Amino acid sequence: MLEGARYGTLTLRAASMRGGSARYRGEPRRDALLAVRFGIGDSALVLVAVASGQPAAPGAHRVARELCEWIAAAVGRNQARLTEDIHTANRGALSSGLHRLTDRAYGRLRAGATVRGLAPADHTASVRCLLLPAHPACRTRVFFGVGDGGLFRLRDGVWQDLEPAGGERDTVGGPVLGYGGGRPPAQQPSQPPQPPQPPYAQADPSSAAPSTPDPDPDPDSDPAPAHGPFRFRASVARPGDTLLLCSAGLAEPLRGEAALADRLAERWDTAEAPGLAAFLADAQTGVKGYADDRTAAAVWEA
C-alpha cells in the first residue's frame, strides 16, 4: 500500500508491505496504514495511523484496520479543536484528549473480544499516529500511540530516536526545543472564566450521541490498554528534517542494524522527498533475520 501527499511545508510518503514470513505462510499483512486529511486549505489536519495486529491471532489484520479507522473517526469529529490546540501549543489538552480518544478505541477492542469469546490480549494491536497541521506557519508535529514501533527524526544526516520511553501513562517524552512555534493564539477580549472542557472524545455533540451504541461497556473508565502505556510527544520540525513513524517491522532493524540506518539516512537526507516507487524500494530494503511486515510513514520538511 502506498500513500503520498504534499501540504504546506510538509511532504508525506508512506508504504505498508507484507513481510517475508507472512508471504511464506500465505498469511495477510497484519500491518494497517491509514492516511487521511480533515478540512481544507490552511486549516486542514492530516492524520497518519499505523497499526500492527498480534502475531498468530485470529483476524489480526482486521483488528489493526479497525483500530486505525476508529481513531481516525474520532479525530475527524474533533478536527477543529485539535487543530486549534496544535496551533496554540496547548500541550496539556492535546495529551489528555488524545489519551482519552485512544483509550476509547481500545475499549471498543475489549468489548469486541468479549463478544467473540477471545482474550483481550489476542484481540488488540499496536497503534501509533502522527497529527500534521497543513498550515505552513505551524511546524508542530504531534505523535501519540500505544505499543511497539518507532518514531525517528533524520536531522543533518543523523538519526535521532524520539520514541517516548518509560511506563508513564501520560505526556511521555517532553517537547523538543522550540515547541510552540506554530501560529500564536488570536488576541481575545477579556471574558469570565469558563468551566473546563471535557476530552475530545466527549466534547463534540456528534460523539456524545452516536448513531450506534458505543460498545465500550464503561466509557468513563480509563484502564491501561492491554498493549502497553499511552505515549505522547509534540515536537517542532525544522526545515530539512525528515520524521519517520514506523511499525516494529522497520523500527527493530533500524535500531539494531547500523547498515540499514546508514543506507536510509543516505537515501532520505534530501531536500526533496523521493517518489513513491523510490520510497517503497528504500522501505523494503532487506535485512537478514528480520521478516515481519513493514509500515513506514515519513514526512519531509521543506
Side-chain angles (χ1 to χ4, degrees), residues 189-212:
S190 178
Q191 296 179 350
Q194 300 294 321
Q197 295 296 313
Y200 300 124
Q202 295 180 347
D204 194 310
S206 65
S207 64
S211 58
T212 56

Side-chain angles (χ1 to χ4, degrees), residues 73-89:
V75 169
R77 287 194 298 267
N78 297 279
Q79 179 255 332
R81 186 175 171 190
L82 279 166
T83 302
E84 183 64 21
D85 285 341
I86 292 173
H87 285 173
T88 58

